[in-house]
Amino acid sequence: MTIKEIAQLAGVSSAAVSRYLNGGYVSGEKKDKIRKVIEETGYQPSAQARILRTKRACLVGVVVPKINSESISRITAGIESVLSTRGYQMLLASTDNDPAKELTYLKLFESYPVDGIILIGTVITPKHREFLKSARVPVVVVGQHTRYANCIYHDDYGAGKAMGRLAAQEAAGRGKVAYIGVTREDRAVGVSREDGFRAGLEAAGAGLEEAYFRRARFTMDSGYEAAMDLLEKKGDIGVLSCATDTIAAGAIEALLACRQKEVPRSAAESGARMGYILDRSGIRVTGFGDNQLLKAVTEGIPTVHFGYKTSGIRGAELLLDVIERGGQVPVEIKLGFRLVSSREDKNNIDFTK
Amino acid sequence: MTIKEIAQLAGVSSAAVSRYLNGGYVSGEKKDKIRKVIEETGYQPSAQARILRTKRACLVGVVVPKINSESISRITAGIESVLSTRGYQMLLASTDNDPAKELTYLKLFESYPVDGIILIGTVITPKHREFLKSARVPVVVVGQHTRYANCIYHDDYGAGKAMGRLAAQEAAGRGKVAYIGVTREDRAVGVSREDGFRAGLEAAGAGLEEAYFRRARFTMDSGYEAAMDLLEKKGDIGVLSCATDTIAAGAIEALLACRQKEVPRSAAESGARMGYILDRSGIRVTGFGDNQLLKAVTEGIPTVHFGYKTSGIRGAELLLDVIERGGQVPVEIKLGFRLVSSREDKNNIDFTK
DNA sequence: CTGTTAGCGCATTCAG
DNA sequence: CTGAATGCGCTAACAG
């Protein structure tokens, strides 16, 4: 079904139909005719042809590293909230943490095209920079700092430092501090957060020994493996800090598995369970990200709350400013954090922000 | 940058550039020139213009109810795996459980256009049916049964029945069975799963009293509220079954909150925690969906594993068959389930399937 | 208010 | 092998 056919069936010109569709001048009589034909045929105008003409899709593409993540869904929720009130729609592309796929999808969005792109950043390679410099649609990066695009990021260093202090404090008289980080290619999580953590430890008079350090991928399974390895080799860990709550969940799983091995009978039979604190070993796990599911089913581990929803909101606002008002001044926004050391009263704070 | 400008810069016709881009006949000499110009300018052909001509985007759109969900990410992982090996890309649209938005995004994909659409279904309204009947791109529905499109769904009734039996069994001598379901507008989760559960209870000689039944939305918070309400009003609950693991997580949170209220001192100080089994009340929580994070940080609640990744794979295969081979025969696929009554050995089974 | 016309950027005839 | 010409479906002038 094309606009031409509709025009023929209604006995008008295609321009009249176009105007009808877009709120231009059409006489009441023709309006009726056109409406009728459209209803009968179920005609849907081709968006792509319109975009080809108008250069405006009212659409933004969001590239995310993975789908199943509370932090990312908070960011996209923030994005979506401002987009929808401003008449835009949002399309997502998930890269499964593959930087190559990231480029592919960025280019797809660019040429599809969308009016703008939001990249929830992980690793910024030279090719990424290349793209950011020459993209023909505006791009905003969320979650990483970059000079090559407008960006919104979080104070990972500060958060790491705060957590480092806390870890040192908790470890005192209990054991050593261990840390499970991620690839340093991720500047925010792998570098800033980790360096901040080390600085925090040192500020508290402690430190992170190399043998108590591992790197994991951004998955629970990977966290499980890293924690297992740590627990097998080191018997004096007092605090096991993880770069994300997801990794921390894997670490908790590892602790539970160890504990089960040690006291298989009594524990299993009584059904007693310890959450993140193991009665025997007394190891404390910490994370980053303030995962709500984790908090709900355990007592809540010490973690850091980032304003993910806020960063999504700001990111979308920034993007729309560039799209609609051609904002030229480069912008970098750094958002703060909040250390969450235990479960708090649900009613006081909106954790989804 | 358009193909025309590239042609001018290279001193050839736009047709030559087009052929160069698509592997047609171009002499070696011109090839070099064109390549050079394209490299210099960073030219990216406009996908939309090509699609307008060729009617093929090598793209499929997936409409999902929410982003942050293990089940959904497993489905999309399955879809992506077959799509990428067949040279397609995947775009996602999240509707935040809003059926109206679902329609909007279905239409967006239809007119954008993509070559095909996969709808991860929740509620199928008359308007959905309307769309499925008249969509001009093939649509596959995953997770719900419908006569109006090819579909892949799970044996929710069977799973519910199996869980009903288990719940009755666990409740024996412990208390009554309570159930937190979801809207019956969701035929799979709200009707089949629930009806199956009731049937399972009855088959085991038990039943579900109305006062022990609540409906929640598909969120943890909603599960928390429903569970709280149940726990406040009914003191003799032995098993609290929930329609999804997410709701179950909220229920666990509620149990923990109640417990904390009852024994604030001792529990908090000792740091003792119970996972899904409360030492005092002995209430057992069950779910559906086999959420891995939940399983990792608790002992694992009784739940049902559905082949979500498989349904994604089958769904994508089905869709590509229709797209590429114009498969005309309507297909309905029902996939089985596996009752998971406790944490199993990680190494034996691939839970991501 | 209305219809005619001319592209948007590209791929595909069809003559050369 | 190559370039000129045509049209995908639509909107934005423009002249009626």
Side-chain angles (χ1 to χ4, degrees), chain A residues 47-48 59 67-68 70 80 89-90 92 101 104-105 111-113 221 249 273 293 297-299 346, chain B residues 47-48 59 67-68 70 80 89-90 92 101 104-105 111-113 221 249 273-274 293 297-299 346:
Chain A
Q48 84 194 314
L59 204 58
I67 270 316
N68 183 23
E70 254 190 33
E80 153 75 22
Q89 293 187 288
M90 177 176 83
L92 295 167
K101 253 188 199 168
T104 313
Y105 276 112
S111 72
Y112 207 67
D221 286 350
R273 276 289 318 296
L293 178 54
V297 300
T298 69
E299 258 172 347
K346 277 183 84 102
Chain B
Q48 85 195 316
L59 204 60
I67 271 316
N68 182 23
E70 255 190 31
E80 153 75 21
Q89 292 187 288
M90 177 176 82
L92 296 168
K101 255 189 197 167
T104 313
Y105 276 111
S111 72
Y112 206 66
D221 285 351
R273 277 287 319 294
M274 296 300 118
L293 177 55
V297 300
T298 68
E299 259 174 344
K346 275 183 85 102

Side-chain angles (χ1 to χ4, degrees), chain A residues 180-198:
Chain A
I180 302 178
V182 301
T183 172
R184 284 185 80 82
E185 289 178 334
D186 185 322
R187 311 285 301 175
V189 183
V191 177
S192 299
R193 202 175 282 182
E194 179 184 319
D195 290 356
F197 186 79
R198 291 178 190 270

Side-chain angles (χ1 to χ4, degrees), chain B residues 43 102 124 330:
Chain B
Y43 165 70
E102 214 164 87
I124 311 262

Side-chain angles (χ1 to χ4, degrees), chain A residues 116-181:
Chain A
I117 299 176
I118 294 177
L119 170 63
I120 298 184
T122 53
V123 177
I124 310 264
T125 68
K127 290 199 171 182
H128 282 76
R129 276 185 261 284
E130 197 62 40
F131 177 86
L132 294 178
K133 273 196 287 189
S134 64
R136 62 181 168 195
V137 298
V139 183
V140 168
V141 175
V142 173
Q144 297 282 338
H145 178 240
T146 174
R147 290 181 335 223
Y148 299 96
N150 286 340
C151 63
I152 321 260
Y153 59 104
H154 302 97
D155 183 7
D156 279 291
Y157 186 88
K161 191 159 182 182
M163 185 57 84
R165 284 177 196 269
L166 181 66
Q169 195 177 310
E170 295 267 332
R174 183 187 258 118
K176 302 231 183 184
V177 174
Y179 185 77
I180 302 178

